[in-house]
Amino acid sequence: MEPINTEMKKILITGGAGFIGSHVVRLFVNKYPECEIYNFDKLTYAGNLENLKDVESKPNYHFIKGDIVDADFVLALFKEHQFEAVIHLAAESHVDRSISHPLEFVMTNVIGTVNLLNAARAIWNCSKDRPVPTGKRFYHVSTDEVYGSLGADGIFTEQTSYDPHSPYSASKAASDHFVRAYHDTYNLPCVISNCSNNYGPNHFPEKLIPLCIYNIKNRKPLPIYGKGENVRDWLYVEDHARAIDIIFHKAANGSTYNVGGHNEWTNIEVIRLLCRIMDRKLGRLEGENEKLITFVKDRAGHDLRYAIDSTKLQQDLGWKPSLQFEEGLEKTVDWYLANEEWLHHVTSGQYQQYYTNQYVNR
Ligand code: NAD
Ligand code: TYD
């Protein structure tokens, strides 16, 4: 199927220095040399320009340091550059941080999203009195966590009602609602996708998989919340980036797509698999790493199970995941073991000193 939106050449990607954003930026910069890709990122603790070393000198890549919460800055930026499309990934993304600092999640995930919607609406001149503008797109990247928690059965479809439980998922749910409201109220050309848990290179080691890779490497305890029985549906990050590319170019305005790997694992199964892979890779005795597993106090409001039905994306737009979990996890471990410097920089905070001085706030 040919892309329906090939005319969008000036694309703003928010949160492009983060985990998923950096894979999306790399894909777009390399695959679409005719497009100008603007990476707009505040460089919070989660933003790391080292993730983009391989594309930073490409002529179609541009970096803008800024905060999506700053409405004046965002509007001025849109007026100056006249972006034709936005792929919005900037967010506070860690559930545990949302439990300790919920307001930061409201600011970035809700207010920041509304600021971007307002700026897009202003420069594209969107209103219910006018037809939806052609050649424009606001793509909001969201999470399956907005759907809440499943029991032993069931699966999230695009029709599942929202039922968020953590401040993180509540803030993402609110942002999704605003995006749909701007589509319905102002004819803003919007698309949303809701994806399951990602894993892969450049994942910040506060999340389960990279944290445990780091801890296994350093023979530190592996903290498993509760009994480790919570289930997540894991997707390799490059498969998500490919899905974003396809949805960005082919989805109809106003549509929603679920993205997921049909790949459910309990947390304890994931960590046992990781331990076995790393016993082998690090030349340790079989079972040695499993001894590091430590059960700790459960997360408050911990969602039991996520499972996503991505049939619509597979059938309508022809996407499917490319990697089996074992294969993806092995690739991920190889990446972390080969990129000791990256891991050292993020765990020591050095990455922020290296890069932030190169860019001034506009
Ligand atoms: P991340 O935390 O790794 O990166 C977030 C990026 O946003 C960072 O580069 C950070 O500097 C930037 N940022 C944060 N606040 C900002 C602000 N106020 N202004 C500008 N930039 C700001 O997140 P991620 O895991 O890559 O997730 C990206 C998006 O995908 C998020 O919207 C998240 O909700 C969604 N998502 C993530 C997952 C997952 O498993 N990680 C799954 C589904 C959806
Ligand atoms: P996480 O990677 O934080 O993603 P999310 O909460 O968005 O799903 O956590 C994945 C699962 O792992 C989740 O059920 C919580 C659990 N977990 C632990 O057991 N220990 C940890 O140290 C972390 C960070 C997460």
Side-chain angles (χ1 to χ4, degrees):
M1 198 198 298
E2 275 304 299
I4 58 165
N5 264 317
T6 46
E7 67 267 51
M8 296 176 298
K9 300 277 188 266
K10 221 170 178 186
I11 304 170
L12 179 73
I13 300 181
T14 71
F19 167 46
I20 302 170
S22 60
H23 289 275
V24 176
V25 167
R26 175 175 303 103
L27 178 67
F28 274 66
V29 166
N30 289 330
K31 187 171 172 186
Y32 302 108
E34 73 285 8
C35 293
E36 298 297 320
I37 306 301
Y38 291 81
N39 171 15
F40 175 22
D41 199 296
K42 183 180 172 183
L43 299 182
T44 67
Y45 79 94
N48 181 359
L49 289 173
E50 285 188 49
N51 295 346
L52 290 165
K53 267 184 174 165
D54 55 324
V55 295
E56 67 186 7
S57 57
K58 299 264 167 132
N60 64 333
Y61 171 74
H62 313 274
F63 176 69
I64 298 160
K65 184 174 189 294
D67 188 342
I68 60 170
V69 177
D70 183 342
D72 295 341
F73 177 82
V74 171
L75 184 59
L77 192 71
F78 274 66
K79 283 186 173 159
E80 179 185 341
H81 292 287
Q82 297 292 317
F83 305 114
E84 286 149 327
V86 179
I87 305 177
H88 175 35
L89 296 112
E92 288 292 338
S93 68
H94 189 40
V95 173
D96 294 324
R97 285 180 193 257
S98 82
I99 294 169
S100 54
H101 295 88
L103 199 55
E104 285 175 22
F105 286 68
V106 177
M107 296 308 291
T108 288
N109 299 359
V110 186
I111 308 291
T113 300
V114 175
N115 286 339
L116 292 164
L117 290 166
N118 281 337
R121 183 190 159 211
I123 66 157
W124 300 339
N125 206 12
C126 291
S127 136
K128 206 65 184 173
D129 304 330
R130 280 185 282 279
V132 179
T134 53
K136 305 283 188 279
R137 168 135 290 178
F138 190 106
Y139 181 172
H140 178 60
V141 176
S142 192
T143 167
D144 62 352
E145 303 192 26
V146 299
Y147 296 124
S149 182
L150 294 163
D153 302 318
I155 192 157
F156 301 136
T157 71
E158 288 82 359
Q159 280 70 48
T160 302
S161 301
Y162 278 28
D163 182 23
H165 298 134
S166 72
Y168 164 64
S169 54
S171 67
K172 291 296 291 187
S175 66
D176 292 12
H177 289 318
F178 272 102
V179 174
R180 292 200 178 94
Y182 273 58
H183 172 265
D184 296 348
T185 310
Y186 306 116
N187 272 348
L188 196 80
C190 301
V191 176
I192 300 179
S193 60
N194 297 85
C195 188
S196 61
N197 284 61
N198 286 212
Y199 70 100
N202 306 110
H203 207 181
F204 194 84
E206 64 181 352
K207 308 275 170 71
L208 180 69
I209 289 179
L211 175 75
C212 289
I213 292 175
Y214 177 77
N215 285 7
I216 290 172
K217 187 166 171 282
N218 294 294
R219 296 183 191 275
K220 290 182 171 180
L222 309 177
I224 304 299
Y225 299 162
K227 294 180 181 160
E229 286 168 350
N230 304 69
V231 175
R232 297 293 181 262
D233 180 350
W234 294 96
L235 181 68
Y236 192 67
V237 63
E238 288 179 1
D239 280 334
H240 187 193
R242 269 196 311 109
I244 289 174
D245 178 22
I246 293 169
I247 294 165
F248 175 76
H249 285 101
K250 296 183 179 174
N253 285 326
S255 61
T256 292
Y257 282 92
N258 280 352
V259 187
H262 288 285
N263 179 44
E264 292 180 50
W265 293 72
T266 63
N267 293 337
I268 190 68
E269 284 170 343
V270 170
I271 297 313
R272 289 205 171 112
L273 174 59
L274 193 59
C275 286
R276 285 198 296 278
I277 292 174
M278 290 188 70
D279 280 341
R280 191 161 32 83
K281 303 245 177 224
L282 295 171
R284 294 182 186 169
L285 291 176
E286 207 181 306
E288 201 177 332
N289 289 329
E290 270 201 31
K291 292 185 192 145
L292 298 169
I293 291 175
T294 310
F295 292 95
V296 298
K297 185 168 179 262
D298 208 352
R299 173 186 278 172
H302 196 172
D303 287 336
L304 178 66
R305 176 172 163 255
Y306 303 143
I308 201 124
D309 182 353
S310 58
T311 308
K312 182 182 171 197
L313 175 59
Q314 304 207 20
Q315 288 185 350
D316 284 10
L317 305 184
W319 171 90
K320 62 176 193 310
S322 69
L323 285 184
Q324 293 295 312
F325 189 50
E326 289 85 344
E327 199 186 340
L329 206 52
E330 192 133 345
K331 267 181 86 155
T332 304
V333 170
D334 286 342
W335 186 87
Y336 279 89
L337 295 181
N339 286 275
E340 275 195 23
E341 196 181 51
W342 182 94
L343 200 51
H344 172 65
H345 285 174
V346 297
T347 48
S348 65
Q350 241 175 308
Y351 63 110
Q352 292 177 314
Q353 290 153 29
Y354 273 19
Y355 279 90
T356 44
N357 291 340
Q358 290 186 26
Y359 301 96
V360 278
N361 279 308
R362 288 162 34 93

